[in-house]
């Protein structure tokens, strides 16, 4: 795809969003993964035959993508699990490219081969994002719980980087790799012209598995550790400070109404799980908020189902008097989807996210008073 076409497509973006068109969508083409990361919110074993049998076929996925493109979508993210575990990945990828979509790929890079590099060089993705769990075999494999995965990751990443493809590197900041955080940042910046971002907020499992959720909680940094990491990252602080006045609404609140959704979920994008469940965003799994695309159409989901979900309301005083009115909500990971994953209720309280938001606000306010 030429740069000119990409620029034209991005100019279209604003117009499409104004019309409530599904501009972009995520396809979780498998929940299976070759790794078994401690913090992972989705993974199932690579050889899980029941999980594999429940996955949409390439034809079903491409039919959904074709409908999305017909409704105005221009950008699609292929994610998982590990997308490259699917034997029909190349067929799927080429099908999406033939639809004229910009395609991004999230991969752990362990399964990258010269054949995939040839495919991507011939039909370039918009970008490929790879997560760096650690920069030593000990740390990387402590997190992935797969012996040999560090060597596979490095081989795959080197293949991608040496091919000139657009690769972005990112990290999860968690207890098991906190001691390597700076080294991970240096590793990423050295390989990607300074691009690096990290995410310290670990989501709970989509399947609600209690034992796995305990593992994820055990990997979460404290609010103070998160604020300290952000404080030490000049780029991040600058970005937060730039938006400070919209992120912290001093003395004001969102007021008015009891709607649950105040984010952009379902306004310009959607997610589809590997078994065909449509959601307004990837984290939204609450009962009544998913739509089975094997039984209905994407147009019905988008035009009829999404407005119903976005109209959901809460009458819980605990919500209406706290998060609904909170001046820090834009600094916070609270939202109906995460509240449901954390508490089983879309209007539930999330004390950990609350503490993180307050630590971040204190950091921003402190930085502002020094400038
Ligand atoms: S590599 Fe990604 S999808 Fe696989 S287990 Fe780790 S976090 Fe999950
Ligand atoms: S969890 Fe706390 S900081 Fe976040 S929106 Fe609710 S009250 Fe505000």
């Amino acid at each position: 795809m030429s740069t000119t076409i990409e620029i034209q497509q991005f100019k279209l973006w604003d117009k499409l969003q104004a019309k409530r068109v599904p501009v972009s969508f995520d396809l979780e083409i498998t929940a299976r993964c070759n790794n078994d990361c401690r913090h992972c919110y989705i993974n199932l074993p690579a050889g899980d035959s029941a999980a594999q049998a429940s996955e949409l076929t390439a034809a079903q996925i491409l039919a959904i993508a074709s409908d999305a493109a017909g409704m105005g979508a221009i950008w699609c993210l292929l994610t998982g699990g590990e997308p490259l575990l699917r034997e029909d990945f190349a067929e799927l990828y080429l099908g999406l490219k033939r639809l004229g979509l910009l395609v991004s790929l999230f991969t752990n890079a362990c399964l990258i081969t010269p054949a995939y590099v040839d495919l991507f060089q011939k039909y370039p993705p918009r970008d490929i994002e790879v997560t760096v769990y650690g920069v030593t075999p000990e740390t990387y494999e402590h997190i992935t719980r797969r012996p040999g995965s560090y060597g596979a990751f490095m081989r795959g990443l080197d293949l991608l980087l040496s091919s000139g493809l657009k690769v972005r590197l990112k990290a999860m900041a968690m207890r098991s790799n906190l001691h390597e955080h700076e080294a991970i940042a240096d590793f990423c910046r050295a390989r990607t012209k300074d691009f690096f971002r990290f995410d310290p907020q670990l989501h709970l499992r989509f399947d609600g598995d209690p034992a796995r959720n305990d593992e994820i909680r055990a990997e979460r940094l404290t609010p103070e550790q998160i604020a300290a990491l952000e404080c030490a990252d000049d780029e991040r602080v600058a970005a937060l400070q730039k938006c400070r006045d919209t992120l912290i609404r001093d003395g004001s609140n969102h007021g008015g109404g009891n709607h649950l959704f105040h984010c952009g979920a379902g306004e310009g994008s959607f997610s589809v799980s590997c078994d065909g469940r449509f959601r307004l965003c990837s984290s939204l799994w609450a009962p009544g908020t998913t739509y089975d695309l094997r039984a209905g159409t994407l147009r019905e989901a988008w035009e009829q189902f999404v407005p119903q979900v976005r109209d959901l309301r809460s009458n819980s005083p605990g919500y209406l008097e706290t998060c609904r009115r909170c001046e820090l909500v834009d600094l916070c990971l609270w939202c109906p989807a995460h509240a449901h994953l954390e508490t089983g209720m879309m209007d539930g309280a999330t004390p950990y996210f609350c503490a993180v938001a307050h630590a971040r606000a204190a950091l921003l306010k402190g930085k502002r008073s020094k400038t």
Side-chain angles (χ1 to χ4, degrees):
M1 183 155 315
S2 76
T3 307
T4 314
I5 293 172
E6 286 199 16
I7 289 168
Q8 284 168 353
Q9 285 176 317
F10 280 112
K11 281 183 179 166
L12 257 179
W13 188 282
D14 293 341
K15 288 184 192 165
L16 293 173
Q17 278 189 315
K19 287 170 62 184
R20 201 184 157 270
V21 162
V23 182
S24 65
F25 57 104
D26 299 353
L27 294 170
E28 293 157 3
I29 59 176
T30 181
R32 295 174 295 121
C33 188
N34 49 302
N35 287 336
D36 182 24
C37 297
R38 295 172 182 276
H39 64 289
C40 187
Y41 56 76
I42 189 169
N43 77 305
L44 295 172
D48 186 325
S49 51
Q52 189 167 8
S54 74
E55 290 168 3
L56 295 176
T57 64
Q60 287 171 318
I61 294 171
L62 290 174
I64 292 168
S66 174
D67 287 348
M71 291 163 65
I74 57 176
W75 181 9
C76 155
L77 166 66
L78 284 177
T79 182
E82 173 47 54
L84 298 182
L85 264 184
R86 281 192 63 132
E87 286 168 9
D88 55 3
F89 176 84
E91 175 191 349
L92 250 172
Y93 179 79
L94 281 174
L96 295 170
K97 294 292 288 182
R98 280 192 200 103
L99 289 171
L101 292 161
L102 298 171
V103 183
S104 295
L105 171 67
F106 284 2
T107 174
N108 57 37
C110 295
L111 303 178
I112 292 287
T113 60
Y116 281 129
V117 170
D118 287 348
L119 174 73
F120 297 142
Q121 282 183 315
K122 204 164 173 191
Y123 305 99
R126 179 174 181 273
D127 49 24
I128 299 175
E129 279 202 13
V130 179
T131 306
V132 179
Y133 300 113
V135 289
T136 58
E138 294 72 29
T139 300
Y140 191 95
E141 293 176 11
H142 176 71
I143 290 174
T144 64
R145 298 187 282 203
R146 282 289 177 269
S149 56
Y150 181 72
F153 154 72
M154 286 300 290
R155 274 192 301 279
L157 183 60
D158 285 345
L159 276 173
L160 289 174
L161 291 171
S162 61
S163 68
L165 291 161
K166 185 169 175 186
V167 177
R168 294 173 182 274
L169 297 179
K170 58 189 176 180
M172 301 304 298
M174 48 201 278
R175 289 199 185 181
S176 288
N177 67 11
L178 185 59
H179 61 289
E180 274 185 15
H181 183 79
E182 273 180 47
I184 292 171
D186 291 346
F187 176 101
C188 295
R189 290 194 165 113
R191 287 165 174 77
T192 57
K193 294 185 187 153
D194 264 2
F195 179 88
F196 168 63
R197 67 183 168 85
F198 67 92
D199 185 355
Q201 306 224 51
L202 308 184
H203 304 176
L204 296 185
R205 297 276 301 182
F206 290 170
D207 60 12
D209 182 325
R212 294 295 306 264
N213 276 347
D214 284 346
E215 288 180 332
I216 294 170
R217 288 193 189 93
E219 285 295 338
R220 284 177 167 172
L221 302 180
T222 65
E224 294 70 29
Q225 286 172 319
I226 291 175
L229 279 187
E230 292 186 329
C231 190
D233 187 307
D234 292 342
E235 271 177 46
R236 198 161 180 123
V237 171
L240 285 169
Q241 280 183 310
K242 201 171 159 195
C243 306
R244 186 212 168 276
D245 291 338
T246 51
L247 291 171
I248 303 177
R249 308 175 187 205
D250 284 327
S252 69
N253 63 55
H254 296 252
N258 55 0
H259 284 94
L260 280 166
F261 287 89
H262 299 272
C263 58
E267 293 208 317
S269 60
F270 64 86
S271 251
V272 180
S273 69
C274 54
D275 60 357
R277 282 175 287 170
F278 169 101
R279 290 107 68 209
L280 280 65
C281 77
S282 69
S283 297
L284 186 59
W285 282 99
T289 65
T290 69
Y291 181 97
D292 186 357
L293 289 176
R294 294 190 205 239
T297 67
L298 181 65
R299 190 169 286 281
E300 283 165 4
W302 186 254
E303 293 181 356
Q304 294 166 31
F305 184 69
V306 170
Q308 289 168 26
V309 175
R310 285 198 61 87
D311 196 40
L312 290 172
R313 298 160 194 243
S314 167
N315 289 315
S316 159
Y319 164 70
L320 296 173
E321 288 160 19
T322 55
C323 302
R324 179 66 193 88
R325 304 168 63 85
C326 180
E327 65 180 19
L328 301 185
V329 70
D330 294 327
L331 272 180
C332 182
L333 202 60
W334 187 92
C335 70
H338 289 139
H340 168 258
L341 293 179
E342 297 283 321
T343 71
M345 296 178 297
M346 283 196 286
D347 55 5
T350 56
Y352 173 72
F353 295 162
C354 194
V356 173
H358 281 272
R360 299 177 86 198
L363 158 75
L364 278 181
K365 286 177 176 170
K367 286 267 176 188
R368 185 176 66 164
S369 64
K370 284 181 201 152
T371 54

